[in-house]
Amino acid sequence: MPDDRSPGAAGPFLRAARGLPTDHTPVWFMRQAGRTLPEYRKVRERWTLLEICRLPDVCAEVTLQPMRRMPLDAAVMFGDIMLPLAGVGVALDIVEKVGPVIEEPIRDLAGVARLRDLEPEQDVAPVLEAVRIVRRELESERAVLGFAGAPFTLASYLVEGKPTRDFARTKALMLGATDVWDALMSRLARIATQFLRANVAAGADAVQLFDSWVGALSVADYVRFVQPYTRRIFADLAGLGVPMVHFGTGTAHLLDAMATDGGTVMGLDWRVPLDDAWERVETAAGRPLGVQGNLDPAALFAPVDAVEREAEDVLRRAAGRPGHVFNLGHGLLPATPLSNIERVVDFVHEKSAELRGELRAETSAQAVAV
Amino acid sequence: MPDDRSPGAAGPFLRAARGLPTDHTPVWFMRQAGRTLPEYRKVRERWTLLEICRLPDVCAEVTLQPMRRMPLDAAVMFGDIMLPLAGVGVALDIVEKVGPVIEEPIRDLAGVARLRDLEPEQDVAPVLEAVRIVRRELESERAVLGFAGAPFTLASYLVEGKPTRDFARTKALMLGATDVWDALMSRLARIATQFLRANVAAGADAVQLFDSWVGALSVADYVRFVQPYTRRIFADLAGLGVPMVHFGTGTAHLLDAMATDGGTVMGLDWRVPLDDAWERVETAAGRPLGVQGNLDPAALFAPVDAVEREAEDVLRRAAGRPGHVFNLGHGLLPATPLSNIERVVDFVHEKSAELRGELRAETSAQAVAV
């Protein structure tokens, strides 16, 4: 019974992620920890991203910063999807305004053999300690989210050696050296599983698998070269009983396939209308699914009335139905005006409560009419 | 009667683009002129991209280089979608490995007012002269394609001032200053129309509208903020009677909307299965449409047997049905192995002829059986 085990179980995020009704729609933002807050920038004057992740107190502090400033319903751990790989000894750096850079890209079986299984309490001890601190310090009704990079997105960094727009080397390997691809993806799926399992053991109430770049693949390539590994991860974690968010961007063509992979909440980017996409993923999965999303992060740069209009559109499409977690369609952009971020949190809470009221009034009016 | 006017009318590209049967599937590649050929790199040692576009003979030569090397069925003019904007006086540069950089980004009505209508024979005379040369020099059965940037993609460069991944300023303007957006998009639609019309007058047998980045928009934003302007362009050009390709990437969620905009051939990127997408766009449009695509440009980095397998998959999905033009799902990547590019052209011709033979044999076998 995860509801007894988890201190955050009673809160709006976990209720919504499990398809239960809530008084308001819960909200959190990908990249809410780090990137935009002035108090975070101050921390970054002293330490790099990777340094912060090796200092549990600082990592917990950065994770909690947005929680103090705003009534967000979930805290996502500060970190980077490359952390578990650094943990198993991959020499890498997170370069400012570039992204992950790998010293020795992996393109053959010998390279894959250098990747070993993750032993979380040794390899990523500070991250897990930070999870424990955050879970202890945060009010029980606010959830703590652990996250991991999905095999395809991690593989793309390892193979290319740096961020890419075209994934040419990754796809060439995938199509031309299927044995190397299978070995690499199998290993990355195990590492992601081991990392997320340890996050939950340390106190994370839910997990999110980030396959940020998987939208670069065709449907056929997703089904053949990615889906088997993603399915293993969710199958391995299912027994933990925590909500599992499956997230990607540019996935309009992949949603039907992804919906069958075992995640319990589908992350939706802003490109797809939330109502249509929700129906699509549930039809494809043949079971109820939660959805998370899907305001365009770029919309937060518009004047506040336009921001509210866009956020309201997302809420109206969700129509107060249990199972919706409000979020952006991708991470907060670094230069996002802070006042708009803060306004969206309040707006989602207020407007979603109001819409639920309207819905109840309509239902009773109908009952009276009958 | 465009078929009488146009010397290329009898060739496989124009026949397929008009939905007529051909002996083999025609093939050309976006970015086939420039980027990958050694003979092009030699030209670039002497002139920049923009300089080449101001020298009709050199521009024509670069356009013809891939046509001499490979039996491609269409020549796409060498150039850049920013050329008409440079023509109306926008100060810009095409920076190597970056893309278009605008000196004074346009973000208000005063900025839009600086954009004037295009007077093609004055503003882009060398481009049009290059079209005339190419049409004269090329065999009549090989088509010449003119192209223009679509309003959204052009607007994104003008507003951001440079290539962007997130389109934050563009979308903020679109959502927050609808009067500026409307003025900008209306002007860009007129410029694209004027440019493409002049290309056809100079001898282009078909045109392609590149909305390369439109996939960054939600369905609702596309319908409200882009579709009206795209429709104007196709409506204005329809009377010319030339095939009009409507191209974008990451458009899996937009194809139904785009299919109704007036283009006669839908460009498909590699993410969507060609057969499903073809059915979808024709259903949405309620009329027969051609399709162009959709091999993954990154697949050309794989070993040649994998490349052939992927190309054959595209041909089998098209199933020899009239109306398919073989292409990549986006432009050739600069480092693509030349031998694979050359092989795909031959493979598409050979295999598509062979598949047509199989299809005919099946049909006669069925006829005998009946």
Side-chain angles (χ1 to χ4, degrees):
Chain A
M1 289 293 291
D3 280 38
D4 296 329
R5 194 195 54 74
S6 164
F13 172 88
L14 281 184
R15 288 187 58 84
R18 292 195 168 109
L20 302 171
T22 51
D23 294 336
H24 64 255
T25 301
V27 53
W28 70 281
F29 300 125
M30 288 178 273
R31 296 278 195 176
Q32 68 191 21
R35 286 220 168 165
T36 49
L37 299 187
E39 54 268 38
Y40 167 71
R41 296 216 175 113
K42 209 156 175 192
V43 175
R44 279 300 303 278
E45 284 170 19
R46 185 152 171 206
W47 291 294
T48 67
L49 189 153
L50 287 177
E51 282 167 352
I52 293 172
C53 298
R54 287 186 204 109
L55 300 166
D57 288 330
V58 184
C59 181
E61 169 59 23
V62 169
T63 302
L64 290 166
Q65 280 173 345
M67 307 307 290
R68 297 205 185 99
R69 189 184 267 272
M70 293 172 266
L72 292 154
D73 296 288
V76 64
M77 292 306 302
F78 177 79
D80 190 277
I81 57 168
M82 303 307 282
L83 286 181
L85 297 179
V88 300
V90 176
L92 62 88
D93 196 10
I94 312 290
V95 180
E96 193 70 15
K97 291 192 183 172
V98 174
V101 175
I102 312 292
E103 213 166 272
E104 278 187 81
I106 292 179
R107 293 166 189 165
D108 52 26
L109 286 173
V112 178
R114 294 200 311 269
L115 288 176
R116 58 168 174 80
D117 272 350
L118 183 78
E119 302 191 38
E121 288 297 345
Q122 282 175 38
D123 299 329
V124 288
V127 177
L128 301 176
E129 182 54 24
V131 175
R132 286 183 203 104
I133 299 171
V134 171
R135 185 56 284 169
R136 200 167 58 226
E137 304 234 328
L138 200 64
E139 302 90 319
S140 66
E141 70 275 15
R142 303 168 91 184
V144 177
L145 265 85
F147 71 92
F152 174 77
T153 294
L154 292 179
S156 78
Y157 288 118
L158 289 175
V159 174
E160 307 280 341
K162 55 178 197 283
T164 172
R165 281 182 85 109
D166 52 48
F167 302 89
R169 281 178 180 278
T170 311
K171 290 178 178 175
L173 185 84
M174 184 181 86
L175 295 170
T178 47
D179 55 334
V180 181
W181 184 256
D182 175 62
L184 178 59
M185 292 290 282
S186 299
R187 174 64 70 180
L188 293 172
R190 272 207 302 283
I191 291 174
T193 304
Q194 290 152 349
F195 184 66
L196 291 177
R197 192 175 274 281
N199 268 263
V200 173
D205 304 299
V207 295
Q208 177 157 329
L209 190 69
F210 277 87
D211 216 350
S212 309
W213 310 135
V214 76
L217 292 178
S218 71
V219 179
D221 287 347
Y222 181 81
V223 168
R224 183 165 169 212
F225 296 113
V226 176
Q227 187 165 57
Y229 311 96
T230 314
R231 285 185 171 177
R232 270 183 224 165
I233 296 172
F234 287 124
D236 280 347
L237 297 177
L240 300 176
V242 300
M244 302 184 291
V245 187
H246 190 186
F247 173 78
T249 64
T251 53
H253 58 305
L254 300 180
L255 284 176
D256 302 77
M258 290 171 73
T260 68
D261 288 354
T264 64
V265 177
M266 292 301 298
L268 303 175
D269 84 356
W270 67 91
R271 292 173 176 90
V272 291
L274 186 133
D275 44 354
D276 293 357
W278 200 348
E279 199 184 316
R280 256 182 75 195
V281 294
E282 289 198 326
T283 304
R287 63 187 164 96
L289 284 173
V291 290
Q292 181 175 280
N294 68 342
L295 182 66
D296 190 337
L300 292 180
F301 288 76
V304 68
D305 58 324
V307 176
E308 291 186 1
R309 207 166 51 231
E310 297 295 305
E312 182 168 342
D313 181 64
V314 172
L315 292 173
R316 289 199 176 269
R317 288 180 189 273
R321 198 192 133 187
H324 176 222
V325 174
F326 193 99
N327 204 316
L328 305 178
H330 200 178
L332 275 169
L333 296 164
T336 311
L338 188 49
S339 59
N340 277 350
I341 301 176
E342 293 175 331
R343 179 61 197 135
V344 166
V345 178
D346 293 335
F347 181 83
V348 168
H349 284 169
E350 293 157 15
K351 180 56 75 176
S352 66
E354 188 188 313
L355 290 173
R356 278 163 175 72
E358 278 175 27
L359 221 61
R360 272 194 302 273
E362 268 174 45
T363 315
S364 3
Q366 281 166 359
V368 170
V370 169
Chain B
M1 287 294 291
D3 279 39
D4 297 328
R5 193 195 54 76
S6 162
F13 171 89
L14 280 185
R15 286 187 59 84
R18 292 199 168 105
L20 302 171
T22 51
D23 294 335
H24 64 254
T25 302
V27 52
W28 69 280
F29 301 125
M30 288 177 274
R31 296 278 195 177
Q32 67 190 20
R35 285 223 169 165
T36 50
L37 300 185
E39 54 269 37
Y40 166 71
R41 296 218 174 113
K42 210 158 171 186
V43 175
R44 279 300 302 278
E45 284 170 20
R46 188 154 168 203
W47 292 291
T48 68
L49 190 154
L50 286 178
E51 282 167 353
I52 294 172
C53 298
R54 286 185 204 113
L55 300 166
D57 287 330
V58 184
C59 181
E61 169 59 23
V62 169
T63 302
L64 290 166
Q65 281 173 345
M67 308 306 291
R68 297 205 184 97
R69 188 184 268 270
M70 294 173 264
L72 293 155
D73 297 288
V76 63
M77 292 306 302
F78 176 79
D80 190 278
I81 58 168
M82 303 307 284
L83 286 180
L85 297 180
V88 300
V90 176
L92 62 88
D93 196 10
I94 312 290
V95 180
E96 194 70 14
K97 293 192 184 172
V98 174
V101 175
I102 312 292
E103 214 165 274
E104 278 187 80
I106 292 179
R107 293 168 188 163
D108 52 24
L109 286 174
V112 178
R114 293 201 311 269
L115 288 176
R116 60 168 173 80
D117 273 351
L118 183 78
E119 302 191 37
E121 289 296 346
Q122 281 175 37
D123 300 329
V124 289
V127 177
L128 301 177
E129 181 55 23
V131 175
R132 285 183 204 105
I133 299 170
V134 171
R135 186 56 284 167
R136 198 166 60 226
E137 304 233 328
L138 201 64
E139 304 90 315
S140 65
E141 69 275 15
R142 303 168 92 183
V144 177
L145 264 85
F147 72 92
F152 174 78
T153 294
L154 293 179
S156 77
Y157 288 118
L158 289 175
V159 174
E160 308 279 341
K162 55 179 195 284
T164 172
R165 280 181 86 110
D166 52 49
F167 302 89
R169 281 179 181 279
T170 311
K171 289 177 178 175
L173 184 83
M174 184 180 86
L175 295 170
T178 46
D179 55 333
V180 181
W181 184 256
D182 175 62
L184 178 59
M185 292 290 282
S186 299
R187 174 64 70 178
L188 293 171
R190 271 207 302 282
I191 291 173
T193 305
Q194 290 153 349
F195 184 65
L196 291 176
R197 193 175 274 281
N199 268 263
V200 173
D205 303 299
V207 295
Q208 177 157 329
L209 190 69
F210 277 86
D211 215 349
S212 308
W213 310 134
V214 76
L217 292 179
S218 71
V219 179
D221 287 348
Y222 180 81
V223 168
R224 180 163 171 214
F225 296 114
V226 176
Q227 187 165 58
Y229 311 96
T230 314
R231 285 186 171 176
R232 270 184 225 165
I233 296 172
F234 288 124
D236 280 347
L237 298 176
L240 300 176
V242 300
M244 302 184 289
V245 186
H246 190 185
F247 173 78
T249 64
T251 52
H253 58 305
L254 300 180
L255 283 176
D256 303 76
M258 290 171 72
T260 67
D261 288 354
T264 64
V265 177
M266 291 301 298
L268 302 176
D269 84 356
W270 66 91
R271 292 173 176 91
V272 291
L274 186 134
D275 43 356
D276 295 355
W278 200 348
E279 200 184 315
R280 255 182 76 194
V281 294
E282 289 196 326
T283 304
R287 65 190 162 96
L289 284 173
V291 290
Q292 180 174 280
N294 68 343
L295 182 66
D296 191 338
L300 292 179
F301 288 76
V304 67
D305 57 325
V307 176
E308 291 185 1
R309 207 167 51 232
E310 297 294 305
E312 182 168 342
D313 181 63
V314 173
L315 292 173
R316 287 199 179 270
R317 288 180 190 273
R321 197 192 134 187
H324 176 222
V325 173
F326 193 99
N327 205 316
L328 304 178
H330 200 176
L332 275 169
L333 296 164
T336 311
L338 189 48
S339 58
N340 277 349
I341 301 176
E342 293 175 331
R343 179 62 196 133
V344 167
V345 178
D346 292 336
F347 181 83
V348 168
H349 283 169
E350 293 157 15
K351 180 58 75 176
S352 66
E354 189 188 313
L355 290 174
R356 279 163 174 71
E358 278 176 27
L359 220 62
R360 271 194 301 273
E362 267 174 45
T363 314
S364 4
Q366 280 167 359
V368 170
V370 170

